[in-house]
Amino acid sequence: LFWSVALLAIVMLMAALFLCHSLITVYHDEQIIPESKHWIFRHYGTSSRAMYTVFELTFSGGWPNYARKLVEEVNALYAVFFV
């Protein structure tokens, strides 16, 4: 049981760091509206925020709320990450 929890925590941490790092370029993109930039920063702007969002993605069942905005407004390739 311990190893499965540890593995899950490591995978969630890797996912959070990937999302946080890959979304850095969004803040300088002129095509994305400021409200979306604020939403992205609120959920993925720092490593701790991204980790909490990934925790919610994993355990709450509300992952479409966090994935849809990235897929529709940032880049459709984020759909590969969430699938």
Side-chain angles (χ1 to χ4, degrees):
L1 181 66
F2 171 75
W3 291 109
S4 60
V5 172
L7 179 64
L8 183 62
I10 290 171
V11 169
M12 287 172 41
L13 178 64
M14 289 172 44
L17 293 176
F18 169 76
L19 286 169
C20 183
H21 183 70
S22 67
L23 290 168
I24 289 174
T25 59
V26 169
Y27 307 121
H28 304 294
D29 192 352
E30 298 295 327
Q31 296 176 349
I32 299 175
I33 60 174
E35 291 82 15
S36 293
K37 290 179 184 180
H38 180 68
W39 183 89
I40 290 168
F41 180 77
R42 192 173 64 232
H43 292 288
Y44 302 103
T46 63
S47 58
S48 58
R49 289 176 187 218
M51 185 64 184
Y52 183 72
T53 302
V54 170
F55 178 81
E56 286 185 329
L57 286 169
T58 306
F59 293 115
S60 73
W63 64 270
N65 300 330
Y66 300 107
R68 183 174 304 273
K69 193 166 205 107
L70 293 181
V71 171
E72 291 178 350
E73 296 185 18
V74 178
N75 194 338
L77 289 176
Y78 280 105
V80 175
F81 175 81
F82 288 108
V83 171

